[in-house]
Amino acid sequence: MKKEVFIETPYITLGQLLKEESIISTGGQAKWYLRENTVNINDEPDNRRGRKLYPGDTVEVPGTGLFFIRSKQGE
């Protein structure tokens, strides 16, 4: 699944994205989820829940989908 994620702030953290997209149910699960699953950001593996994602970044969550970060302000 490919999905565009629109943000109103300058960035969103990886943990926030996982929660917002219902991949995890609470923010506290992000650390555990990222320890058990490989998430690629711009084709590089990353497991930091605080990783800042900016418009233009792509996030691939294996088994879930590919997310494109976009800015609402740029519409």
Side-chain angles (χ1 to χ4, degrees):
M1 168 183 85
K2 294 182 181 179
K3 182 176 181 188
E4 289 186 322
V5 178
F6 291 94
I7 59 174
E8 295 180 8
T9 56
Y11 65 87
I12 186 173
T13 65
L14 179 55
Q16 289 172 325
L17 174 74
L18 294 173
K19 185 177 176 200
E20 201 171 284
E21 295 303 315
S22 300
I23 297 166
I24 58 174
S25 57
T26 66
Q29 292 178 331
K31 188 175 186 178
W32 170 84
Y33 181 87
L34 292 169
R35 197 177 312 145
E36 301 291 323
N37 299 278
T38 301
V39 174
N40 292 314
I41 300 173
N42 300 327
D43 296 322
E44 297 286 330
D46 202 322
N47 64 353
R48 298 174 291 164
R49 64 186 169 148
R51 166 73 187 261
K52 294 177 181 176
L53 305 171
Y54 296 93
D57 286 343
T58 59
V59 180
E60 180 184 3
V61 182
T64 302
L66 186 61
F67 301 91
F68 302 98
I69 309 301
R70 302 288 183 249
S71 174
K72 270 192 175 177
Q73 297 162 345
E75 288 183 351

